[in-house]
Amino acid sequence: MAFSVAVAGASGYAGGELLRLLAAHPEFRIDTVTAHSNAGQPLVQVQPHLRSLAHLTLVDTTPETLAGHDIVFLALPHGKSGELTAALDPSTLVVDCGADHRLTSEEDWAAFYGGDYFGAWAYGVPELIVGDGKQRDHLVGATRIAAPGCNASTVALSLAPGIKAGVIEATDIVSVLAVGPSGAGKALKTNLLAAEILGSANPYAVGGTHRHIPEIAQSLRGAGAETVSLSFTPVLVPMSRGILATSTARIVPGTPAEAVRAAWHDAYGDETFVHLLPEGDFPRTADVLGANTALIGLAIDEAAGRVVVVAAVDNLVKGTAGAAIQSANIAVGLPESTGLSVNGVAP
Amino acid sequence: MAFSVAVAGASGYAGGELLRLLAAHPEFRIDTVTAHSNAGQPLVQVQPHLRSLAHLTLVDTTPETLAGHDIVFLALPHGKSGELTAALDPSTLVVDCGADHRLTSEEDWAAFYGGDYFGAWAYGVPELIVGDGKQRDHLVGATRIAAPGCNASTVALSLAPGIKAGVIEATDIVSVLAVGPSGAGKALKTNLLAAEILGSANPYAVGGTHRHIPEIAQSLRGAGAETVSLSFTPVLVPMSRGILATSTARIVPGTPAEAVRAAWHDAYGDETFVHLLPEGDFPRTADVLGANTALIGLAIDEAAGRVVVVAAVDNLVKGTAGAAIQSANIAVGLPESTGLSVNGVAP
Amino acid sequence: MAFSVAVAGASGYAGGELLRLLAAHPEFRIDTVTAHSNAGQPLVQVQPHLRSLAHLTLVDTTPETLAGHDIVFLALPHGKSGELTAALDPSTLVVDCGADHRLTSEEDWAAFYGGDYFGAWAYGVPELIVGDGKQRDHLVGATRIAAPGCNASTVALSLAPGIKAGVIEATDIVSVLAVGPSGAGKALKTNLLAAEILGSANPYAVGGTHRHIPEIAQSLRGAGAETVSLSFTPVLVPMSRGILATSTARIVPGTPAEAVRAAWHDAYGDETFVHLLPEGDFPRTADVLGANTALIGLAIDEAAGRVVVVAAVDNLVKGTAGAAIQSANIAVGLPESTGLSVNGVAP
Amino acid sequence: MAFSVAVAGASGYAGGELLRLLAAHPEFRIDTVTAHSNAGQPLVQVQPHLRSLAHLTLVDTTPETLAGHDIVFLALPHGKSGELTAALDPSTLVVDCGADHRLTSEEDWAAFYGGDYFGAWAYGVPELIVGDGKQRDHLVGATRIAAPGCNASTVALSLAPGIKAGVIEATDIVSVLAVGPSGAGKALKTNLLAAEILGSANPYAVGGTHRHIPEIAQSLRGAGAETVSLSFTPVLVPMSRGILATSTARIVPGTPAEAVRAAWHDAYGDETFVHLLPEGDFPRTADVLGANTALIGLAIDEAAGRVVVVAAVDNLVKGTAGAAIQSANIAVGLPESTGLSVNGVAP
């Protein structure tokens, strides 16, 4: 028994990745794919890597084309899903890969995005510690889910265990991320041209301006932090996909090293898609390419008094489309890992 | 009137870059190039990009082949220069691109390198603030110079102005660097294979173990820090050259934003090779490729209470060979910028 | 009912890819993984992207460790499988990803490889035209299969339809391939270091010396060519995986354009894994990354009197491990596409 | 005594490279830099790698701003220079890096470009064999020079010696080029986005449609070919700069191997910027990055009856801006190599 699925924004990178994963999903059937300027074209013309979906044609993104499905995945530019989803049947499961429904604070929304605020939905990071449970508890039976920001979920997963366990401080976190340009989408901007990115490392949104900062703070508060202070710097590097997030936080003075490591081990020891690597091992983004996996390496720098958490994630999978499908699985009652791979494509 | 120059270790990446720069230097004449396993081969066979040096043949690296030059540049593996330089004429200018003569503390040497300690030489980062002056004051007339570690000088140049001016704290610095694999040399290691690096970001020496940490601390103490605490994480990314160092430090509470920025402006406003970019601009490594330039962008993150300093350097030029030549220019009394370019090769 | 599988050479790139694909195969169960110098280590230590196989440990590669399985996949260096397979049960299906059993001519073997010649096995390129059928006919029930050379099968699939149909000449073929370094394996060679490959295009085996040349000629003779003349040049480019083969052949004078195109359409119109793109479209290697797909674009250059066939293949999948598994599926009577994906991981 | 220089189109890649090279030129003084949409901005804002030119501001591209200089370099989109140059003083040296003045055949222009035809200028490839001399003979004293197409000059330099010497046939040439995306300029096109190029090889203009084909044919006719037939396929690969052109031509039957090699040796033995590598050596694009050098490797494939010529060029230097400056040097009577480097930036 398959669920009928529509994907809106199917011509972009996030939309394409949703479709790649959905094509391998045994219970989700792709019935409708929509786009804006590419409507009318065969999907495979725009997404030539999706050979198994050669029978699909892109249609316009409207409430009508999206109606009548069990699940609607939205991969639209920020600010485009709010109005659209208001027109969809409340019983339809809608999973939004955009930012419109992530922030619980209208003030944060106004400060970092602006425009109409449409309210927060269930946040699609199942393994994230929230209160005394995990975020997956809030996804069961949900009909509105906000898939996370790729950088935001990577950093939140990196640090939430230590905050929950009380072994690290949330008041002076520093995160620096090496990220691939696919996270920026297919937008035609000079700084995203290949000639600008190849052979170079390019920082952006330096100094506290990146839109994922309030989303991270929100997640860490959910894990128990009273106040969150975060210095966050993303750096574009020449790989199409991937996030390698190096996050550091001060260890609460007096905490034994074993207690630090135990916090992450306890949080993720039973997880399918989030792995703490053995002591001394650190992840590479190639190891999670195409996979719904977050690999985490952890070091305790006693001289600096800081834990260093390095997390590798495929921004389009665990960071976006995989998180969306994993969350949808939970929402509709399927095994959480249905249709998702834990193995990366390396080298 | 040209100076006679020998380059030892001419078959490696640092040696090759020394030669590329020396070939364009109007006062330095390359008379001798030495190597180990490649001795006997034409230089251009090993360094096929150095067409103007097609007349040179590699000879063995010995005290005899290096004798009789005005200047000897060493680009040898760590631990190989100590003995060799003991056999060179004390009046010869020797510039070592290895680590053997950088650390002033024998304890640091033992902790991070080990093996015989040969003592520190004048440190080859002319623009680095030291006490009430700059490091170039210590290079005038020097006959023994230690070129810096590429990561170390990048981070030290990033933060020294703020420490000297008393506007940032040195007690909780975090630096994360995106670096190209040429910094690791031509060593045959699996993790340096192209298939391992392409399309991936790979951290290494995580958690306080990198050998450049004591070198940075030494430089920052030279700039006035009493105690230095540094969390330092390098990440290999798929570009052959380049360092993009993101360093953050807490701003001393109560410091006005203008005072923070002024510290860097005052330190580097008159420098040829170190530039503070206008507010809101941040550097890319492509902009310094092949150049002896360090570009610095600075942001004040008021919410995080931290300054974020992003510095871009070509690890083989400003990070190594360019620093060596710039320092040699000073030592022998030439204009500091002789033979060095400030313009990068971009895109 | 699953088949018991062993993979020899599991620590290399081809071995790793076999395991990645086998891990997703519903009928093949990985029981044994073997290696040489890495024997004794957990598999996931050497192949950190294969998280679902964290329970496996590498054992030595011996006839004993490989015995007792239904299927043995070999991913060993050239020249290493001949002796080993002689010791395996004749009823076991053995699929060799090395070159030892590809060439039917001992003379070719001696000229391009040398050493002991062990004879040719059934060639693992199911879609390749052979005589009046296809190579898959020869794989049904086979117990010894030689997976193809990645470049060789790409070029053979590119041109065989035109030769079979008599619309192109085999006497003056030119193929130039952009290839990723994973095809060269994990060998520690200076020219495979990341710093040598990044930002550069490097030709190798220029002028008729590449070992895949006789393999291509053999395949094209199988498709009906009397004499094959091939100029073949591979160029290493900075992508971890992928082959983009541009092959040209003279069109038989007087052949109408539609007849040329029809030859490829007829040959591959019903294939799952080999696709002829619509007129005017040409493939990119990203579109087949991780997939068992060969995408083919075809142009007729009337001014030059040549057909230009551009084929994109993932060297580790359709070029090696995917071909091996597809062939094994056929040999044991499973649907040919079992466990294999047609969709690439892009961007 | 310096020549006063203006560069039009200074905000693009070719314009930026002209400026990088001119900044190191001892006899050319950059007085004016012009742009279209970026006019009014500081040059270094648009070209942040050109630190030594921080004093320059972009002005509008008009006959007035370009008037009054000794030399005007144009780096404008194709079709933009014709009208503009008509308004410049006939005694001013104008070097056009666009295509408008390269083709001597109006028919070719109409077939491959279209629009108004403005006639051909002296072609800026000094080392190219033309009749019984070289193209540099036609550049002495010229006031109108057309810098070459980067792919076109690379292929023409690769094959002209063999044609002139009568050792190869021009009637069935095949050239396949691995090229970096900077050759396509800063145009905002989806297929030039980093996410599309990274990790992939992408062919374009397949099947005889590339605009450089008539330019190559024109050059080879100049070297003595009666009829030229050329199959030409460029492939975008993930490096910012560089062309690696693999060109093959049939050897005239009966020609001894030494005579083939001698043709190239004789043609380029005395050249500063075009080098024939020793037998068995082949060039990499990294070896010419940033240099005005063309490196050529040559193999004779006796089995295929073809010569294989592999040429490496930096598309922005020897392919465009370096060729322009070298040609200008000749035109105004300076030593040909003034201000140009033969050494590449590698690794």
Side-chain angles (χ1 to χ4, degrees):
Chain A
M1 191 221 70
F3 294 82
S4 167
V5 169
V7 173
S11 58
Y13 293 146
E17 191 66 1
L18 279 164
L19 292 169
R20 186 181 73 85
L21 298 172
L22 290 167
H25 196 291
E27 305 291 341
F28 290 169
R29 187 187 64 236
I30 309 166
D31 285 333
T32 301
V33 290
T34 83
H36 183 60
S37 58
N38 292 299
Q41 289 195 51
L43 173 67
V44 82
Q45 192 71 25
V46 182
Q47 306 279 18
H49 59 300
L50 301 176
R51 309 308 303 179
S52 79
L53 305 178
H55 55 288
L56 294 172
T57 297
L58 292 161
V59 298
D60 254 331
T61 306
T62 67
E64 291 70 33
T65 58
L66 297 177
H69 301 85
D70 299 314
I71 313 178
V72 175
F73 291 97
L74 304 174
L76 303 170
H78 299 316
K80 294 292 181 189
S81 50
E83 283 184 51
L84 193 65
T85 53
L88 297 180
D89 189 316
S91 71
T92 302
L93 170 55
V94 181
V95 185
D96 186 6
C97 295
D100 297 23
H101 301 284
R102 292 179 195 151
L103 296 182
T104 55
S105 155
E106 185 165 358
E107 195 180 343
D108 281 348
W109 177 264
F112 284 82
Y113 291 89
D116 291 340
Y117 176 65
F118 288 92
W121 292 354
Y123 190 58
V125 186
E127 302 88 346
L128 186 65
I129 292 172
V130 182
D132 292 327
K134 287 199 173 171
Q135 184 58 28
R136 66 168 54 85
D137 310 335
H138 304 275
L139 294 166
V140 178
T143 57
R144 292 292 185 273
I145 294 173
C150 53
N151 301 311
S153 59
T154 303
V155 174
L157 287 169
S158 295
L159 296 174
I163 286 169
K164 172 64 181 175
V167 299
I168 60 169
E169 300 172 0
T171 45
D172 197 10
I173 296 166
V174 177
S175 292
V176 180
L177 295 84
V179 302
S182 63
K186 267 189 195 173
L188 292 176
K189 298 176 183 170
T190 299
N191 69 320
L192 296 178
L193 287 176
E196 305 282 319
I197 300 283
L198 284 159
S200 191
N202 306 354
Y204 68 100
V206 182
T209 63
H210 197 282
R211 289 169 161 187
H212 287 180
I213 292 175
E215 189 178 334
I216 295 168
Q218 171 178 305
S219 291
L220 296 185
R221 284 193 304 269
E226 290 198 13
T227 313
V228 176
S229 168
L230 169 66
S231 167
F232 177 92
T233 310
V235 177
L236 280 169
V237 300
M239 56 190 190
S240 59
R241 298 178 173 219
I243 295 172
L244 192 89
T246 301
S247 300
T248 81
R250 277 200 305 260
I251 297 170
V252 171
T255 311
E258 315 84 66
V260 175
R261 199 166 174 84
W264 276 261
H265 186 269
D266 294 351
Y268 298 134
D270 295 332
E271 291 292 347
T272 301
F273 293 119
V274 183
H275 297 269
L276 177 64
L277 297 179
E279 202 169 338
D281 283 2
F282 296 90
R284 310 173 303 176
T285 59
D287 292 329
V288 297
L289 192 139
N292 194 46
T293 305
L295 295 181
I296 294 179
L298 184 150
I300 294 166
D301 185 338
E302 294 193 6
R306 284 184 168 263
V307 67
V308 184
V309 184
V310 182
V313 154
D314 183 325
N315 56 300
L316 291 177
V317 191
K318 186 61 185 161
T320 305
I325 291 171
Q326 183 184 356
S327 297
N329 285 339
I330 297 171
V332 302
L334 290 171
E336 191 171 327
S337 63
T338 308
L340 295 169
S341 175
V342 71
N343 293 335
V345 181
Chain B
M1 193 220 71
F3 294 81
S4 167
V5 168
V7 174
S11 58
Y13 293 147
E17 192 67 1
L18 278 166
L19 292 169
R20 186 181 73 84
L21 297 173
L22 289 168
H25 195 292
E27 305 291 340
F28 290 168
R29 186 185 67 237
I30 307 167
D31 286 332
T32 301
V33 289
T34 83
H36 182 59
S37 58
N38 292 300
Q41 289 194 54
L43 174 67
V44 83
Q45 191 71 24
V46 182
Q47 306 279 20
H49 59 299
L50 300 177
R51 309 308 304 178
S52 79
L53 305 179
H55 57 288
L56 294 172
T57 298
L58 292 161
V59 297
D60 254 329
T61 305
T62 67
E64 290 71 32
T65 57
L66 297 177
H69 302 85
D70 298 314
I71 312 178
V72 175
F73 290 98
L74 304 174
L76 304 170
H78 299 317
K80 296 289 181 194
S81 49
E83 283 183 51
L84 192 66
T85 52
L88 297 179
D89 189 317
S91 70
T92 302
L93 170 56
V94 181
V95 185
D96 186 5
C97 294
D100 298 22
H101 300 284
R102 292 178 195 151
L103 296 183
T104 55
S105 155
E106 186 165 359
E107 194 180 344
D108 280 349
W109 177 263
F112 283 83
Y113 290 89
D116 291 340
Y117 176 65
F118 289 92
W121 292 354
Y123 191 60
V125 186
E127 303 89 346
L128 186 65
I129 292 173
V130 183
D132 290 328
K134 286 198 173 171
Q135 183 58 28
R136 65 167 55 84
D137 310 333
H138 303 277
L139 293 166
V140 178
T143 57
R144 293 291 185 272
I145 295 173
C150 54
N151 301 310
S153 58
T154 304
V155 173
L157 287 168
S158 295
L159 296 175
I163 286 169
K164 172 65 181 176
V167 300
I168 62 170
E169 300 172 1
T171 46
D172 197 11
I173 296 165
V174 178
S175 291
V176 180
L177 296 84
V179 301
S182 63
K186 267 189 193 173
L188 292 176
K189 299 175 182 170
T190 300
N191 70 319
L192 296 179
L193 288 176
E196 305 282 319
I197 299 285
L198 284 159
S200 191
N202 306 355
Y204 68 101
V206 182
T209 63
H210 197 282
R211 290 170 161 186
H212 287 180
I213 292 175
E215 187 178 334
I216 295 167
Q218 171 178 308
S219 291
L220 296 184
R221 285 194 303 269
E226 290 197 13
T227 312
V228 176
S229 169
L230 168 67
S231 168
F232 177 92
T233 310
V235 178
L236 279 169
V237 300
M239 57 189 190
S240 59
R241 300 179 172 218
I243 295 172
L244 192 90
T246 301
S247 300
T248 80
R250 277 197 306 258
I251 297 170
V252 172
T255 312
E258 316 82 66
V260 175
R261 198 167 176 83
W264 276 261
H265 185 269
D266 293 350
Y268 298 135
D270 295 332
E271 291 291 347
T272 301
F273 293 118
V274 183
H275 297 269
L276 177 64
L277 298 179
E279 201 168 340
D281 282 3
F282 296 91
R284 310 174 303 175
T285 59
D287 292 328
V288 297
L289 193 139
N292 195 46
T293 305
L295 295 181
I296 293 179
L298 185 150
I300 294 165
D301 184 338
E302 293 194 6
R306 284 184 168 263
V307 67
V308 184
V309 183
V310 183
V313 155
D314 183 325
N315 55 301
L316 292 177
V317 191
K318 187 61 184 160
T320 306
I325 291 171
Q326 184 183 354
S327 298
N329 285 340
I330 296 172
V332 303
L334 290 171
E336 190 171 327
S337 64
T338 308
L340 296 169
S341 175
V342 72
N343 293 335
V345 181
Chain C
M1 194 222 70
F3 293 81
S4 168
V5 169
V7 173
S11 58
Y13 292 146
E17 192 66 2
L18 279 165
L19 292 169
R20 186 181 74 83
L21 297 173
L22 289 168
H25 195 291
E27 305 291 341
F28 290 169
R29 188 186 64 236
I30 308 167
D31 285 334
T32 301
V33 289
T34 82
H36 183 59
S37 58
N38 291 300
Q41 289 194 54
L43 173 67
V44 81
Q45 192 71 25
V46 182
Q47 305 278 19
H49 59 298
L50 300 177
R51 309 308 304 179
S52 79
L53 305 178
H55 56 289
L56 294 172
T57 297
L58 292 161
V59 297
D60 254 331
T61 306
T62 67
E64 290 71 32
T65 58
L66 297 177
H69 302 85
D70 299 314
I71 312 178
V72 174
F73 290 98
L74 304 175
L76 303 170
H78 299 316
K80 296 290 181 192
S81 51
E83 283 184 49
L84 193 65
T85 53
L88 297 179
D89 189 317
S91 70
T92 301
L93 170 56
V94 181
V95 185
D96 186 5
C97 294
D100 298 22
H101 301 284
R102 292 178 196 151
L103 296 182
T104 55
S105 155
E106 186 166 357
E107 193 180 345
D108 281 348
W109 177 263
F112 282 84
Y113 291 90
D116 290 341
Y117 176 65
F118 289 91
W121 292 355
Y123 191 59
V125 186
E127 302 89 347
L128 186 65
I129 292 173
V130 182
D132 290 329
K134 286 200 173 169
Q135 183 58 28
R136 65 168 54 85
D137 309 335
H138 303 275
L139 293 166
V140 178
T143 58
R144 292 291 185 271
I145 295 173
C150 53
N151 300 312
S153 58
T154 304
V155 174
L157 286 168
S158 296
L159 297 175
I163 286 169
K164 173 66 181 173
V167 299
I168 60 170
E169 301 172 0
T171 45
D172 197 11
I173 295 165
V174 178
S175 291
V176 181
L177 295 85
V179 301
S182 64
K186 267 190 193 172
L188 292 177
K189 298 176 184 170
T190 299
N191 69 320
L192 296 178
L193 287 176
E196 304 283 319
I197 299 285
L198 284 159
S200 191
N202 306 354
Y204 67 101
V206 181
T209 64
H210 197 282
R211 290 171 160 186
H212 286 180
I213 293 174
E215 188 178 335
I216 296 167
Q218 171 178 306
S219 291
L220 297 184
R221 285 193 303 268
E226 291 197 14
T227 312
V228 176
S229 168
L230 169 66
S231 168
F232 177 91
T233 310
V235 178
L236 279 169
V237 300
M239 58 189 189
S240 59
R241 300 179 172 219
I243 295 172
L244 193 90
T246 302
S247 300
T248 80
R250 277 199 304 258
I251 298 170
V252 171
T255 312
E258 315 83 66
V260 175
R261 197 167 177 83
W264 275 260
H265 186 269
D266 293 350
Y268 298 134
D270 295 331
E271 291 292 348
T272 302
F273 293 119
V274 182
H275 297 268
L276 177 64
L277 298 179
E279 201 169 339
D281 283 2
F282 296 90
R284 310 173 302 175
T285 60
D287 292 329
V288 296
L289 192 138
N292 194 47
T293 306
L295 295 181
I296 294 178
L298 185 150
I300 294 164
D301 185 338
E302 295 195 5
R306 283 185 168 262
V307 66
V308 184
V309 183
V310 182
V313 155
D314 183 326
N315 55 302
L316 291 177
V317 190
K318 186 62 183 159
T320 306
I325 291 171
Q326 183 184 356
S327 297
N329 285 340
I330 297 171
V332 302
L334 290 171
E336 189 171 327
S337 63
T338 308
L340 296 168
S341 176
V342 71
N343 293 334
V345 181
Chain D
M1 191 221 75
F3 294 80
S4 168
V5 169
V7 174
S11 58
Y13 293 147
E17 192 66 1
L18 278 165
L19 291 169
R20 186 181 73 83
L21 298 173
L22 290 167
H25 196 292
E27 306 291 341
F28 290 169
R29 186 186 66 237
I30 308 166
D31 285 334
T32 301
V33 289
T34 84
H36 182 60
S37 59
N38 292 300
Q41 289 194 52
L43 173 67
V44 82
Q45 192 71 25
V46 182
Q47 306 279 19
H49 60 299
L50 300 177
R51 310 307 305 179
S52 80
L53 305 179
H55 56 288
L56 294 172
T57 297
L58 293 160
V59 298
D60 253 331
T61 306
T62 67
E64 290 72 31
T65 58
L66 297 177
H69 302 86
D70 299 313
I71 313 177
V72 175
F73 291 97
L74 303 174
L76 303 170
H78 300 316
K80 295 292 181 191
S81 49
E83 283 184 50
L84 193 64
T85 52
L88 297 179
D89 189 317
S91 70
T92 301
L93 170 56
V94 181
V95 185
D96 186 5
C97 295
D100 298 23
H101 301 284
R102 293 180 195 150
L103 296 182
T104 55
S105 154
E106 185 165 0
E107 194 181 343
D108 281 348
W109 177 264
F112 284 82
Y113 290 90
D116 291 341
Y117 177 65
F118 289 92
W121 292 354
Y123 191 58
V125 187
E127 302 89 346
L128 187 65
I129 292 173
V130 182
D132 291 326
K134 288 199 171 169
Q135 183 58 27
R136 64 169 54 86
D137 310 335
H138 303 275
L139 294 166
V140 178
T143 58
R144 292 292 185 270
I145 295 174
C150 53
N151 300 311
S153 58
T154 304
V155 174
L157 286 169
S158 295
L159 296 175
I163 287 169
K164 173 65 181 174
V167 299
I168 60 170
E169 300 174 359
T171 46
D172 197 10
I173 295 166
V174 178
S175 292
V176 180
L177 295 83
V179 301
S182 64
K186 266 189 192 171
L188 292 176
K189 298 177 184 170
T190 299
N191 69 321
L192 296 179
L193 287 176
E196 305 283 318
I197 300 284
L198 284 159
S200 192
N202 306 354
Y204 67 101
V206 182
T209 63
H210 196 283
R211 291 171 160 184
H212 287 180
I213 292 174
E215 188 178 334
I216 296 167
Q218 171 178 306
S219 291
L220 297 184
R221 285 193 304 268
E226 289 198 13
T227 313
V228 176
S229 168
L230 168 67
S231 168
F232 177 91
T233 310
V235 177
L236 279 169
V237 300
M239 57 190 191
S240 58
R241 299 179 172 217
I243 295 172
L244 192 90
T246 301
S247 300
T248 80
R250 277 199 306 258
I251 298 170
V252 172
T255 311
E258 316 81 68
V260 175
R261 197 166 176 84
W264 276 260
H265 185 270
D266 294 351
Y268 298 135
D270 295 332
E271 290 292 347
T272 301
F273 294 118
V274 183
H275 298 268
L276 176 65
L277 298 179
E279 202 168 340
D281 283 2
F282 296 90
R284 310 173 303 177
T285 59
D287 292 328
V288 298
L289 193 140
N292 195 46
T293 306
L295 295 181
I296 294 179
L298 183 149
I300 294 166
D301 185 339
E302 294 194 6
R306 281 184 169 263
V307 67
V308 184
V309 183
V310 182
V313 154
D314 183 326
N315 56 301
L316 292 177
V317 191
K318 186 62 183 160
T320 305
I325 291 171
Q326 183 183 355
S327 298
N329 285 339
I330 297 171
V332 302
L334 290 172
E336 190 172 328
S337 64
T338 308
L340 296 169
S341 175
V342 72
N343 294 335
V345 182

